[in-house]
Amino acid sequence: MQRPKLRDNQGKGPFELYPLGQISDTTIYKIAKWMTYHFAIGKSDINGEDWGDIFAKSIDGEHLGKPMGLADVVYEGMAWSVKSVKIENPHKVKKIRVISGRCSPDYSYGISDPHEDVAQTGAAVLAIWNERINIAKERYEPLRTSVLVRNFNNMEFTLFEHETLRYNIKDFVWTENKKGNLEGNDIATGTHMFTWQPHGSQFTILYDLPLSVRRFRVKRPPVFDFENMIKEIGFDKSWVTIL
């Protein structure tokens, strides 16, 4: 149901740093600068925490040490769930699998055997996901998912966003695959949308890349020489206190 139009909320609405998917060139340049820095100090790759820091710094936001639901990075009243996926050809990918967290039907609903009733387990997994969105949206709106597809070896990157949405549990049918994992498919289209792994409770969402995707490449920088860097910052034994 749409929010009602009221006299006291005209002209007001959720704050947006920028429209969905319209990530500016300025932000891309800032992201690229931080990518360059990470490579220059000797990192061979970046992990999810690194990407959260880089994205937050590039939009002058805050990377939360403890996420609020699915809110990892926040700016004013909006938030992003930030994810990163390593793949060989970031510029050619059309669909991507994103590990979106852990959903434990056992902990949340007492479902000790997830294979006994696959439909019930799948419904529980989506209910947990939806509740995490509810928690984030209590404080932040809009809520987006920002995904960096990366190859740090050739310094190629693809960046895209989706609205972080609740899913109607009745729209999906769940089956068990040959590996014993549960797969959620859209009933209307038959499209594979989710995978849930009983071992570890890992929940994966499959995303089609939108037209607004940003692709970029960064020149590989030289790696700082350790000894020269230590001399540059003036390190000596007086910096160390041995207790």
Side-chain angles (χ1 to χ4, degrees):
M1 182 180 294
Q2 281 188 316
R3 294 180 63 185
K5 180 179 179 181
L6 301 176
R7 293 184 184 275
D8 56 358
N9 74 356
Q10 290 185 10
K12 298 181 180 180
F15 167 82
E16 281 192 326
L17 181 61
Y18 55 83
L20 180 67
Q22 296 184 30
I23 305 166
S24 69
D25 289 353
T26 299
T27 299
I28 297 295
Y29 288 134
K30 289 181 179 179
I31 290 171
K33 180 173 68 174
W34 283 105
M35 296 288 190
T36 302
Y37 169 76
H38 276 254
F39 194 97
I41 62 174
K43 289 203 172 189
S44 59
D45 199 0
I46 57 172
N47 58 30
E49 286 298 306
D50 293 331
W51 168 233
D53 287 340
I54 289 170
F55 183 72
K57 290 172 182 175
S58 299
I59 63 168
D60 296 323
E62 179 186 0
H63 185 195
L64 300 179
K66 184 177 180 181
M68 289 284 297
L70 293 173
D72 296 312
V73 172
V74 300
Y75 182 92
E76 299 292 341
M78 69 180 300
W80 293 260
S81 174
V82 292
K83 304 295 180 183
S84 184
V85 180
K86 185 176 181 180
I87 198 169
E88 185 175 353
N89 295 306
H91 291 174
K92 294 182 179 180
V93 66
K94 303 295 183 183
K95 194 179 187 77
I96 201 76
R97 299 169 61 95
V98 178
I99 298 174
S100 300
R102 299 189 185 279
C103 298
S104 174
D106 187 7
Y107 177 83
S108 297
Y109 290 100
I111 299 175
S112 58
D113 183 358
H115 305 282
E116 182 178 357
D117 187 334
V118 170
Q120 181 188 45
T121 302
V125 167
L126 290 186
I128 295 166
W129 168 264
N130 288 344
E131 182 58 24
R132 288 203 174 113
I133 294 178
N134 292 339
I135 292 170
K137 284 180 173 285
E138 286 179 358
R139 290 191 59 178
Y140 303 106
E141 185 70 36
L143 176 64
R144 298 174 181 174
T145 298
S146 175
V147 182
L148 177 76
V149 188
R150 73 189 194 278
N151 184 329
F152 218 58
N153 292 327
N154 59 17
M155 301 292 279
E156 289 187 348
F157 307 95
T158 290
L159 178 62
F160 68 94
E161 291 184 333
H162 276 290
E163 286 189 39
T164 309
L165 300 173
R166 302 177 186 90
Y167 294 104
N168 187 340
I169 294 172
K170 295 181 180 179
D171 288 345
F172 304 94
V173 60
W174 291 82
T175 57
E176 186 173 345
N177 65 21
K178 294 179 180 179
K179 295 181 179 180
N181 299 326
L182 274 57
E183 295 183 352
N185 293 272
D186 188 297
I187 293 175
T189 65
T191 304
H192 181 197
M193 295 285 294
F194 317 111
T195 298
W196 180 77
Q197 298 177 347
H199 180 69
S201 300
Q202 183 173 284
F203 180 53
T204 300
I205 300 177
L206 284 78
Y207 291 99
D208 291 313
L209 271 66
L211 295 176
S212 60
V213 65
R214 302 301 310 268
R215 294 184 173 91
F216 60 99
R217 182 181 295 110
V218 182
K219 181 180 178 181
R220 183 187 294 268
V223 178
F224 291 138
D225 179 78
F226 174 77
E227 292 298 335
N228 288 337
M229 192 189 322
I230 289 296
K231 290 179 182 178
E232 183 70 22
I233 64 175
F235 174 84
D236 61 38
K237 292 181 179 178
S238 66
W239 287 30
V240 182
T241 301
I242 299 175
L243 303 179

